[in-house]
Amino acid sequence: MSRAMQCHCCVPWASWAQLPRALAGGRGTRSMSVCAAAVPGELGSVPLALSPVPREACPCGTSLPSWAGVGCVGYQGDSQGSSAQPGSSRHGQSQLRNVASSGAIKKHQKSLSAWFSHQPNEERQFGPSFSLDAVHVDPVIRESSLEEILKPSPDLTIQNQLQQPCRKVISLHNLFDVDACGRQVKNVVLYGTVGTGKSTLIKKMVVDWCHGRLPRFELVIPFSCEDLSHSHAHVSLRRLITKKYQHLRDVVPVLEASNLRVLFILNGLERLNLDFRLAGTELCCDPNEPVPPSAIVVNLLRKYLLPEASIIVTTRPSAVRRIPGKYVGRYAEICGFSDTNLQKLYFQMRLSQPGCSGEDSQDRSSAEQENLVEMLSRNLERHNQITAACFLPSYCWLVCTTLHFLYFTRTVPPSQTLTGIYTSFLRLNFSGEVLDSTDPTHISMMKYVAKTVGKLAYEGVMSRKTCFSEEDLRHCFEVEMKTESELNLLEVFRSDVFRFFLSPCVQPGKEHTFVFTIPAMQEYLAALYVVLGEKKTLAQRVGKELSEVIGKVSEDVAVVVNIISKVLPLRFLPVLFNLLKIFPRYFSRVGGKDRDAIAHTMAEELFKEEDYYNDDVLDQINSSILGVEGPMRHPDEAPDDEVFELFPIFMGGILSRRNRAILEQLGCSIKNLAAFEIAKAMKKTVIRKGRRGLPPSELMDYLFFLHEFQNERFTAEAIRSLRAVNLSSVKMTPLKCSVLASVMSTTCHEVEELNLTSCNLDSSSLRTLFPVLLRCKALHLQLNSLGSDACKEIRDLLLHDKCVVSSLRLANNPVGKQGARYLAEALAGNRSLSQLSLLHTALGDPGAEAIAQHLAQNQHLQELNLGYNSLTDTAALRVVEVAKRHETLDKVHLYFNDISEDGKRALDSLRMDRDGVRALVFLTAGTDVSDYWSHILNVVQRNLPFWDRERVRQHLALLLQDLESSRSQTANPWRKAKFLRVESEVKKMLGKLQDGSL
């Protein structure tokens, strides 16, 4: 067996840790560059994304696969490079001048620049991007050798990779320099695992040449090996170039004669099956001779065809050995961002781009962006698992996209879901590629991942485990290996894809275990594994295979049996065959039970009671990226239980039509009928369990699940069953507000109660939620720092002709006098509000006066709470005088205000039967205890954490003094007993307040 064939087979099967190096470690010298370059003419207005470009057909016929990466790469033109090339003859120079004067190469450059500057849909959809031509970060490229590629690598952990320096670092523009022996390098193989940024590097290289920053080469001709693999007709090199690039038809005839410094780019060599044996591919030196496209590639690399041309090949590690080492001048491994400084630079550039935080938040955008970058940098410095993940530039893109989704999403169109981000991310990196083009099964890479890594992910979720030993890996990957083909596929997967999903754990004591590179990816793949129906018992698998076999042969057998039964009197044969045909139909019915099982799994995981009081899933994702501020956990401290609340949400998201369409492109087919049956089965479980009272964070997860599911009919039925929505203490970010508004918009029913207490709302949040708030009868907005701008939104809400709000609580918000004016205007024109609480809203006398001025125009208000607003006698009496003339207002709360004894006596003289209004000021009512004394004390106790304790203590002392005075004025023993009871409650509260226990 040749050495090339022994490449990865020499790696012991028992050791999953001994994989070829994914990332060159360290903190050695790195090349970082930030350049701003003007693009001449109209090309300057075409943005180019840092993310990978999805595979599409080029206008000139070619396409570059971009599954490999998102990394921003830096490339500087090398002016010395041209001097290293042999000089052209005068005849060649004359021809070159003629070609240049024709403008053919300039047209070629313009065409390439327009195509390679194309921005992918995912980039435009999930946040702002910036042009590769404007700013970029260099990845680490390490010079390698065939011996290093073929031999097993040492057992390296992520910590070791971070600490040891990376040797043999080489920049892109030095790849074609002379080698250690002084020979001029003509063929370069640039390899890297999935996600390291190979295709983005090639894009940047082509764009630099188009803009004159790559003077070493006078002509660059890129080819997609994927495109070449689909062409089976014989074609000449000349015809192939002019077919893909029509502008070069005048250049191709003089390629050899002119000594043009030509660079051929062959992207994605793993797509081609090359045979360098003379018996397999004959020699060809004539550019005009038609041969198979693979033969053209082989003879170019042999240097038998256009020997002076330079060639750069990009490929995955498993395909490097397809090119014999004697035809390769230099091997180079692209290692991505193996230095945390490169990761920080990427995040700083990406998250600091103009427009990242939206058009409506320019005032605070800069500070918020800087805060995100700072928190992310601190998390990277801790060498957390995210540091290991961001070795891959593609994961840096995913982190930035997720942060943009979490922080800067003002509206959520159907295309913007968290599941959609992860599905699009996988499309950008895999795009339907087959795992091994030499394997006859041609299984897609993503399908293989779903069957193997998905199984590992699912078993981890079920056992609430995130760290996996080598034994776990062998159980999921090797236990069912039976054929040579399966073993070969596993070797390719280990070499090219394994490190994209799994990386060594960075926790002390767990260095030899593996974790998912991004924690949420474990839950996504587990969800994909379940929804694809891969979770089957042995009986189910055998039954399915047998049913398919019987179904395929049933028609042929029916014809044969009919013929035989006419010739021979074997009447039992048709009966036997009819019984046999029942089996596929029966199995299809049994298979329908799988849909019920998927729906049941989804419901059970979505409503797990042990997860009820965790943070909602969006906050969990935020913490996993930015870390948790505070002291580090001690290594001996018991870890918290793992939480997998994204798992059922991803299951619902994967079933959405858009994500199913993308997964279809990746080779993971989910039929419409299967999705319909799962949704139908979910109605029996998910909606029924969703009707139960859920804690606020769990209810937010349920709403987010409905948003991810993207099934409007299902969501409408689920929302109609929710009459009360309690999200108190959930931090309602712009994204969560948009999700709530989007989900609630599927119906038009009235909501009995919406509790948004202490949810960090502001005026923009109220604008987002405006359609929802209109339909809420009871609206709780306490403790949200809502100022005058927010009150302006509330005014517009209450004046809307479709507003049904009857109870509005704004306690403990800094409304102020200006906010009071807006609310007063709302009172004047509103027809639905019956209860308004402005407790502790800093109204003062001016605010109360504004309320009093417009109160007479209101016809429906029944209760008004102006407690704890520093009102004096004048303002309080003014409000009460207006209230006495009001048709429906019968209760005004004025406790904890600066009301004197004279004011108290005036308010005490009010009688409900005579004045039509009751003022709640003190715990007493003349010589008796107020009927509302317990209500007032309960209000104080509930709001004490948010009030000034010293001021509360002073007010309680005044209340106690008033109680004692009123008790001394009555001779009724029953009343005295009531006074003593209330006094004891006040004294108890004062004692707890002084002890700090309240």
Side-chain angles (χ1 to χ4, degrees):
M1 183 182 293
S2 68
R3 184 176 184 179
M5 295 298 292
Q6 296 175 353
C7 170
H8 291 290
C9 297
C10 58
V11 181
W13 276 86
S15 176
W16 277 82
Q18 291 185 348
L19 295 171
R21 271 188 294 272
L23 303 166
R27 297 187 175 276
T29 304
R30 298 291 182 269
S31 172
M32 290 179 287
S33 63
V34 181
C35 67
V39 183
E42 62 182 8
L43 298 178
S45 62
V46 182
L48 181 63
L50 282 172
S51 64
V53 179
R55 215 172 265 99
E56 302 174 50
C58 175
C60 49
T62 189
S63 63
L64 279 181
S66 55
W67 49 268
V70 199
C72 325
V73 297
Y75 183 82
Q76 306 267 332
D78 182 15
S79 58
Q80 290 99 1
S82 59
S83 62
Q85 302 292 334
S88 302
S89 65
R90 292 184 180 179
H91 176 69
Q93 292 174 350
S94 174
Q95 286 184 322
L96 178 59
R97 283 193 295 270
N98 291 336
V99 171
S101 64
S102 69
I105 292 182
K106 291 183 178 179
K107 291 180 180 179
H108 178 60
Q109 288 176 326
K110 184 176 180 180
S111 175
L112 283 182
S113 178
W115 171 243
F116 281 86
S117 298
H118 179 67
Q119 192 179 27
N121 293 332
E122 285 79 3
E123 184 69 17
R124 296 192 299 268
Q125 178 181 335
F126 299 117
S129 62
F130 48 93
S131 170
L132 278 177
D133 191 61
V135 63
H136 56 271
V137 179
D138 290 327
V140 174
I141 304 176
R142 183 181 67 88
E143 187 170 3
S144 181
S145 65
L146 185 61
E147 289 73 18
E148 290 185 36
I149 298 170
L150 296 179
K151 72 179 181 181
S153 64
D155 184 6
L156 287 180
T157 64
I158 293 296
Q159 289 289 354
N160 292 336
Q161 291 176 349
L162 287 170
Q163 292 168 2
Q164 69 174 204
C166 182
R167 296 170 296 185
K168 301 181 182 179
V169 174
I170 186 171
S171 62
L172 184 62
H173 62 272
N174 291 330
L175 288 177
F176 289 94
D177 288 352
V178 295
D179 60 14
C181 299
R183 295 188 296 264
Q184 183 64 46
V185 173
K186 287 294 185 180
N187 291 350
V188 173
V189 173
L190 183 65
Y191 69 95
T193 57
V194 174
T196 50
K198 299 182 295 296
S199 292
T200 306
L201 186 147
I202 293 302
K203 283 175 53 183
K204 184 62 176 64
M205 188 177 187
V206 173
V207 170
D208 276 341
W209 176 77
C210 292
H211 298 154
R213 294 193 294 273
L214 188 57
R216 180 189 289 268
F217 302 108
E218 294 161 331
L219 179 62
V220 171
I221 303 177
F223 283 116
S224 165
C225 292
E226 178 189 8
D227 183 38
L228 296 179
S229 68
H230 294 154
S231 177
H232 302 292
H234 287 212
V235 64
S236 67
L237 175 61
R238 177 176 178 177
R239 174 60 184 149
L240 182 63
I241 295 175
T242 56
K243 179 182 177 182
K244 305 299 180 183
Y245 304 103
Q246 298 180 5
H247 302 299
L248 298 181
R249 58 180 176 270
D250 296 331
V251 180
V252 173
V254 295
L255 278 181
E256 285 188 295
S258 63
N259 286 328
L260 272 173
R261 297 191 296 275
V262 180
L263 172 65
F264 285 96
I265 298 175
L266 302 174
N267 197 30
L269 187 74
E270 66 276 356
R271 293 301 190 97
L272 285 176
N273 295 326
L274 303 181
D275 189 350
F276 280 82
R277 299 173 303 162
L278 289 177
T281 304
E282 62 179 352
L283 297 175
C284 175
C285 62
D286 185 3
N288 298 311
E289 181 180 350
V291 293
S294 60
I296 294 177
V297 173
V298 168
N299 282 289
L300 283 173
L301 291 169
R302 284 172 173 169
K303 291 304 170 192
Y304 206 74
L305 184 63
L306 297 184
E308 294 302 319
S310 299
I311 302 173
I312 184 168
V313 174
T314 67
T315 185
R316 302 199 307 256
S318 64
V320 170
R321 61 183 182 271
R322 296 184 187 178
I323 306 177
K326 63 182 179 181
Y327 297 129
V328 180
R330 175 170 283 123
Y331 292 94
E333 178 185 12
I334 179 168
C335 303
F337 297 153
S338 57
D339 189 335
T340 54
N341 290 326
L342 297 179
Q343 300 171 14
K344 291 180 184 178
L345 184 59
Y346 178 94
F347 291 130
Q348 184 177 5
M349 292 178 177
R350 179 91 188 193
L351 295 174
S352 300
Q353 285 299 297
C356 181
S357 57
E359 298 178 357
D360 59 342
S361 56
Q362 294 297 322
D363 296 339
R364 63 179 182 180
S365 62
S366 178
E368 191 166 13
Q369 289 169 321
E370 291 176 3
N371 184 50
L372 277 181
V373 173
E374 178 64 25
M375 293 178 67
L376 193 52
S377 296
R378 287 201 298 268
N379 205 21
L380 291 171
E381 289 169 359
R382 298 188 190 108
H383 292 319
N384 285 341
Q385 203 64 48
I386 190 175
T387 311
C390 292
F391 269 53
L392 297 176
S394 56
Y395 275 110
C396 293
W397 180 87
L398 180 62
V399 167
C400 290
T401 302
T402 305
L403 285 176
H404 181 271
F405 179 69
L406 293 176
Y407 280 87
F408 305 122
T409 301
R410 306 302 173 190
T411 58
V412 281
S415 59
Q416 284 204 4
T417 64
L418 187 66
T419 314
I421 289 176
Y422 275 76
T423 307
S424 297
F425 169 71
L426 293 174
R427 175 179 176 265
L428 288 171
N429 285 276
F430 295 94
S431 193
E433 281 192 72
V434 296
L435 182 61
D436 184 4
S437 60
T438 63
D439 186 78
T441 61
H442 291 290
I443 185 173
S444 75
M445 194 180 298
M446 197 61 227
K447 180 69 172 179
Y448 187 88
V449 167
K451 291 168 67 71
T452 55
V453 187
K455 179 181 178 182
L456 180 72
Y458 173 75
E459 292 184 355
V461 169
M462 290 297 101
S463 59
R464 301 180 81 83
K465 181 171 66 174
T466 58
C467 292
F468 303 93
S469 64
E470 290 194 12
E471 183 62 32
D472 296 326
L473 298 181
R474 282 195 295 270
H475 174 70
C476 287
F477 291 95
E478 301 176 14
V479 70
E480 296 181 2
M481 297 291 105
K482 299 176 182 177
T483 65
E484 184 70 17
S485 175
E486 290 174 335
L487 291 174
N488 291 337
L489 287 175
L490 180 59
E491 285 296 338
V492 174
F493 169 79
R494 294 176 68 194
S495 173
D496 298 348
V497 189
F498 176 81
R499 291 176 297 273
F500 184 83
F501 292 103
L502 292 159
S503 60
C505 184
V506 301
Q507 297 180 22
K510 297 183 178 180
E511 291 85 355
H512 298 286
T513 61
F514 292 88
V515 297
F516 278 82
T517 308
I518 290 288
M521 188 60 75
Q522 177 180 355
E523 298 174 78
Y524 181 93
L525 292 178
L528 184 61
Y529 177 77
V530 174
V531 174
L532 285 176
E534 296 294 337
K535 186 176 74 70
K536 291 184 176 70
T537 63
L538 179 61
Q540 288 174 322
R541 292 177 182 176
V542 172
K544 181 180 179 182
E545 293 175 1
L546 186 59
S547 174
E548 290 175 352
V549 171
I550 294 174
K552 290 177 181 178
V553 303
S554 60
E555 297 297 331
D556 296 334
V557 174
V559 174
V560 174
V561 169
N562 287 332
I563 295 174
I564 294 176
S565 63
K566 292 178 180 179
V567 177
L568 300 174
L570 302 176
R571 299 189 178 185
F572 69 91
L573 286 178
V575 176
L576 179 63
F577 180 69
N578 288 331
L579 291 175
L580 194 63
K581 288 198 297 183
I582 293 175
F583 182 79
R585 291 196 294 269
Y586 172 76
F587 184 80
S588 65
R589 293 176 183 174
V590 174
K593 299 295 183 181
D594 292 345
R595 276 62 164 181
D596 294 337
I598 292 173
H600 179 74
T601 300
M602 200 179 304
E604 290 297 320
E605 294 295 324
L606 189 61
F607 299 109
K608 270 192 173 180
E609 292 188 6
E610 56 263 38
D611 296 335
Y612 267 13
Y613 297 98
N614 299 321
D615 292 337
D616 62 79
V617 292
L618 294 175
D619 285 346
Q620 292 175 27
I621 295 173
N622 181 70
S623 299
S624 70
I625 296 175
L626 299 180
V628 179
E629 296 297 322
M632 298 284 289
R633 182 189 296 274
H634 192 274
D636 297 333
E637 185 179 348
D640 297 331
D641 291 336
E642 299 293 347
V643 178
F644 297 98
E645 294 182 88
L646 268 175
F647 169 55
I649 293 175
F650 277 143
M651 288 178 68
I654 287 171
L655 288 171
S656 70
R657 183 181 298 274
R658 180 179 180 277
N659 287 319
R660 284 190 287 116
I662 297 177
L663 288 169
E664 181 76 30
Q665 300 172 23
L666 298 177
C668 300
S669 177
I670 304 172
K671 302 300 182 183
N672 289 333
L673 180 60
F676 172 77
E677 290 179 347
I678 293 172
K680 184 178 179 181
M682 284 169 55
K683 290 183 180 180
K684 307 173 185 176
T685 53
V686 174
I687 294 180
R688 176 173 52 82
K689 292 189 176 185
R691 291 192 182 103
R692 302 181 307 185
L694 297 174
S697 61
E698 194 70 13
L699 179 58
M700 187 68 240
D701 290 346
Y702 181 47
L703 297 174
F704 189 60
F705 165 81
L706 295 175
H707 168 71
E708 293 284 313
F709 192 34
Q710 294 291 303
N711 186 322
E712 189 170 341
R713 182 179 298 177
F714 181 93
T715 301
E717 187 170 342
I719 290 299
R720 273 194 294 268
S721 66
L722 296 178
R723 292 296 175 180
V725 179
N726 180 11
L727 296 174
S728 60
S729 301
V730 174
K731 185 179 180 182
M732 294 298 290
T733 62
L735 172 61
K736 294 176 189 176
C737 291
S738 299
V739 167
L740 177 59
S742 174
V743 169
M744 298 294 289
S745 66
T746 57
T747 68
C748 299
H749 79 287
E750 293 183 359
V751 180
E752 294 295 331
E753 181 180 4
L754 176 60
N755 190 343
L756 296 174
T757 301
S758 189
C759 288
N760 292 83
L761 299 179
D762 56 16
S763 57
S764 62
S765 304
L766 297 181
R767 280 194 295 273
T768 303
L769 294 172
F770 192 91
V772 180
L773 303 181
L774 281 175
R775 296 155 39 201
C776 298
K777 293 183 178 180
L779 189 56
H780 300 266
L781 299 176
Q782 306 97 300
L783 295 164
N784 278 298
S785 300
L786 299 177
S788 58
D789 291 341
C791 290
K792 190 175 182 181
E793 300 296 329
I794 295 173
R795 177 198 64 183
D796 297 339
L797 171 72
L798 294 176
L799 292 177
H800 198 280
D801 56 353
K802 294 184 179 180
C803 177
V804 299
V805 177
S806 60
S807 175
L808 175 61
R809 299 183 181 277
L810 289 169
N812 300 306
N813 283 298
V815 172
K817 60 181 180 181
Q818 182 58 46
R821 293 191 180 98
Y822 289 134
L823 295 177
E825 295 174 13
L827 281 176
N830 179 267
R831 298 180 179 180
S832 63
L833 196 63
S834 60
Q835 295 178 332
L836 175 62
S837 174
L838 296 174
L839 175 70
H840 191 219
T841 50
L843 298 181
D845 285 355
E849 182 64 31
I851 296 289
Q853 288 178 2
H854 293 79
L855 193 58
Q857 302 175 44
N858 181 278
Q859 304 296 323
H860 303 277
L861 194 65
Q862 299 175 10
E863 185 176 354
L864 176 64
N865 191 335
L866 299 178
Y868 204 158
N869 274 296
S870 302
L871 304 187
T872 61
D873 295 354
T874 305
L877 292 171
R878 170 80 170 112
V879 171
V880 170
E881 286 298 322
V882 176
K884 288 167 62 176
R885 298 190 296 271
H886 197 281
E887 294 183 4
T888 59
L889 185 59
D890 61 5
K891 194 182 299 180
V892 179
H893 300 250
L894 294 170
Y895 38 82
F896 275 60
N897 280 302
D898 300 332
I899 299 176
S900 65
E901 284 296 323
D902 293 338
K904 175 184 176 298
R905 284 192 291 270
L907 294 172
D908 281 345
S909 64
L910 294 172
R911 294 290 181 271
M912 187 65 190
D913 55 352
R914 183 188 66 199
D915 302 306
V917 67
R918 179 180 288 109
L920 310 182
V921 185
F922 288 90
L923 302 180
T924 60
T927 59
D928 198 358
V929 175
S930 171
D931 294 337
Y932 299 94
W933 70 268
S934 60
H935 170 77
I936 295 174
L937 291 183
N938 285 334
V939 169
V940 174
Q941 190 163 359
R942 284 198 309 268
N943 292 278
L944 191 58
F946 321 108
W947 289 358
D948 183 354
R949 288 177 173 263
E950 180 58 29
R951 186 171 179 183
V952 171
R953 190 191 63 78
Q954 293 175 3
H955 276 284
L956 287 176
L958 289 174
L959 291 177
L960 182 60
Q961 183 180 350
D962 181 65
L963 285 169
E964 293 172 346
S965 175
S966 298
R967 176 167 55 85
S968 64
Q969 296 176 16
T970 182
N972 189 319
W974 174 246
R975 290 183 178 180
K976 283 183 178 290
K978 289 170 60 177
F979 275 115
L980 289 173
R981 180 191 173 192
V982 178
E983 288 175 28
S984 67
E985 292 292 333
V986 176
K987 289 178 181 178
K988 188 186 300 182
M989 189 176 292
L990 275 170
K992 290 183 178 180
L993 190 61
Q994 291 174 353
D995 296 341
S997 59
L998 188 62

